[in-house]
Amino acid sequence: MEAEAALELVKHGATLLLLDVPQNTLIGIDTQMFFSGPNFKGVKMIPPGVHFIYYSSSNREGNEFSPIVGFFVEASPSEVIVKKWDSKDERFVKLSEEEGERYAQAVKKLEFDRQLGPYALDQYGDWKRLSNFITKSTIESIEPIGGEITIISESEMVGNVHKTAMEKVLAEQLKNSKFSKPDKKSPSNGCYYTSIPRVIKLKGVSGQDLTNMNLDKTHILETILTKQYGGSEDSLLGELQFAFVAFLMGQSLEAFLQWKLLVSLLLGCTEAPLHTRTQLFTKFIKAIYYQLKIGFQKDSKDTSRAEKGATTSLDESLLSADNFLRHLCKDFFSLVLDAPVVDGDLLTWTRKLRELLERTLGWDFQPNSSVDGMHLEEDDEFAPVVETLDDPDH
């Protein structure tokens, strides 16, 4: 990049200034990760907009790490975000307004320029595809008190027995990870995710009607869109992306469970994709296509990072551990691809998602594939559940 163009990016891009960072600390922003050296003081040339910043300190040998802590920010053009390392609590803290402004002015005078690593703009496209529906409103409505997302606040969730095989795999990985040693003394401080019901339970509705409603999640979707998201489809997609980023980069089990609930809700609809919410489903399939595609990507740095416990790659075993995604995708693909009339964009992105899963995970979605013959176990979340609340026998 030419010096003049680089200077323009330095001036108009946002800057993350990190003071007193210990060596070998993991610093992440979006899909990019750094291990701090002796002169590292942050990241410059950050495009304005929403970003996810996360970090984890290490011991002197650099082989054991504290749990990842992450937070979302919406950076304005030329904004300087200043954080200082608190060695006692092993976390970044804000400075006073006066002190923060003094450092911000020093950054704008380029006094820290040599100690700031550049934001890798060639990776910005991937980040935009992961976060294009996340807004300032999304962050403010979901983030925990204080803004920090960490598995430390999820120790009870990790300790519980999880229902599906995938959740057990994830919980075990999080417990065994060098990054994830939950502190039982830490107070619970989770995110404010939208409550997503698995089944409909209504008074005065026949068992057959309830069964139909629970086999097609369109009614649940419409209710949630109206009551929880004010009718905004993009707000729902923003929460889907928020949860995925918090899970992938922040190693949050709570975020994974919310992402799974939202994906299950949407892929469980049959009426909405083809008739009432075609645009929503086109955007949704496109969003999870990029989540999985980018999540499955592995670059040359992944091996060394994985040895230290750090990676932003999606572990394929999580999606192969049970029938969650495979089961729902198979039904959804059949619904869309076999429909006599279907929106062209929805058809295109559905085909792309199917090809990605077949190519990456080796899943076979053909009609005679083995997934057709799979059985539903007693604790399978896809087994139909019907409850009529005014039935005297219940």
Side-chain angles (χ1 to χ4, degrees), residues 200 202 213 216-224 265 269:
I200 299 174
L202 297 174
M213 286 181 183
D216 177 4
K217 305 291 188 184
T218 296
H219 182 84
I220 301 178
L221 174 63
E222 292 297 336
T223 301
I224 289 174
L265 168 65
C269 294

Side-chain angles (χ1 to χ4, degrees), residues 19 38 72 86 92 113 123 143 157 185 208 250 253 285 294 297 316-317 320 358 387:
L19 304 171
F72 284 91
D86 183 324
F92 284 109
D113 195 58
Q123 296 185 41
E143 68 179 354
M157 189 178 296
K185 296 179 182 179
Q208 183 59 50
L253 175 60
I285 294 298
I294 294 168
Q297 285 176 357
E316 295 171 13
S317 67
S320 300
E358 288 177 338
E387 182 173 345

